Amino acid sequence: MKKTMHAMVGVVLSFFVVGAVSAGDVASLRGASDLTTKAVKTKKAKLEKVSGGFERTWAEQPPMVPHEVDKYRISIKNNGCLKCHGAKTYEKEKSPKVGDSHFLTRDDKRLEKVSSRRWFCTQCHAPQMSLTPLVSNTFETVGRSK
Ligand code: HEC
Ligand code: HEC
């Protein structure tokens, strides 16, 4: 019993020691500000609107969205994106049609409507903000344009 007590005291003490390290010693992307202070507000990022769309890096890459997405709601019944990208609407709306793969079930059966596997568009297609990356990298595309 006594031994257990000693061990417990040790554990409790070590918590205090760890807690004594100040936030300033920890390098983080947030900067050297204390956890309890508010971080410096970042500038509002601008959404990138790219006419003609973004270049793709590889054939199966879901193309990035070259326009705003916040206005378009996707629920179980309605899909705001299909108002322009749907098979029946794309011509009138002068928008690119969803990929052919979007009509296939997992057993490769072709459906009339977009498959439930491809219903939540923004799960794969992301809009882009013009920002400086927090961590720079040297990635280079293999250069597949669409
Ligand atoms: C008001 C019509 C409209 C709506 C609604 C709309 N889009 Fe678009 N979208 C367009 C047009 C037009 C383009 C082509 C822009 C260009 O290439 O200049 C486009 C381009 C795209 C592309 C790029 C395709 C490519 O081959 O590069 C993606 C991905 C996309 N939209 C996804 C979405 C998603 C996801 C939503 C819903 C959150 C959505 N769009 C809602 C009109 C629309
Ligand atoms: C599970 C991931 C996924 C989801 C969900 C998804 N897509 Fe895609 N999308 C892709 C991929 C991958 C491609 C490129 C290859 C292809 O066409 O299958 C693509 C291609 C596209 C293209 C370009 C088609 C072309 O012929 O160049 C458009 C437009 C598009 N998607 C719109 C949408 C819309 C609108 C939705 C929602 C109804 C959606 N996608 C849902 C993965 C997805």
Side-chain angles (χ1 to χ4, degrees):
M1 181 66 190
K2 217 172 178 190
K3 260 193 185 159
T4 343
M5 278 300 277
H6 278 291
M8 275 165 74
V9 170
V11 168
V12 170
L13 274 179
S14 66
F15 271 128
F16 282 109
V17 175
V18 171
V21 175
S22 86
D25 301 336
V26 183
S28 87
L29 295 174
R30 189 174 180 265
S33 51
D34 261 320
L35 281 179
T36 45
T37 56
K38 280 191 178 160
V40 184
K41 232 186 187 170
T42 49
K43 267 193 268 164
K44 232 182 161 192
K46 256 175 102 187
L47 200 122
E48 281 189 73
K49 281 194 185 159
V50 179
S51 141
F54 289 96
E55 193 189 348
R56 289 187 218 181
T57 299
W58 72 97
E60 294 80 22
Q61 180 201 335
M64 295 181 288
V65 187
H67 58 68
E68 203 175 12
V69 291
D70 291 357
K71 288 188 286 189
Y72 313 125
R73 293 272 165 257
I74 305 172
S75 69
I76 284 187
K77 288 201 179 126
N78 297 307
N79 186 319
C81 312
L82 291 177
K83 293 207 169 86
C84 292
H85 292 289
K88 287 192 184 132
T89 53
Y90 80 100
E91 276 176 329
K92 197 175 138 250
E93 299 295 336
K94 296 191 179 66
S95 306
K97 187 183 160 202
V98 287
D100 290 340
S101 60
H102 296 41
F103 297 92
L104 299 178
T105 63
R106 64 178 178 184
D107 308 315
D108 272 352
K109 214 183 113 202
R110 184 163 291 279
L111 304 173
E112 287 274 299
K113 288 185 179 163
V114 165
S115 163
S116 53
R117 299 160 77 212
R118 297 289 171 113
W119 186 252
F120 295 100
C121 320
T122 43
Q123 178 189 333
C124 301
H125 298 283
Q128 302 297 304
M129 298 280 183
S130 49
L131 288 166
T132 323
L134 285 174
V135 181
S136 58
N137 68 76
T138 55
F139 175 79
E140 271 177 46
T141 163
V142 289
R144 184 213 179 255
S145 54
K146 9 178 218 169

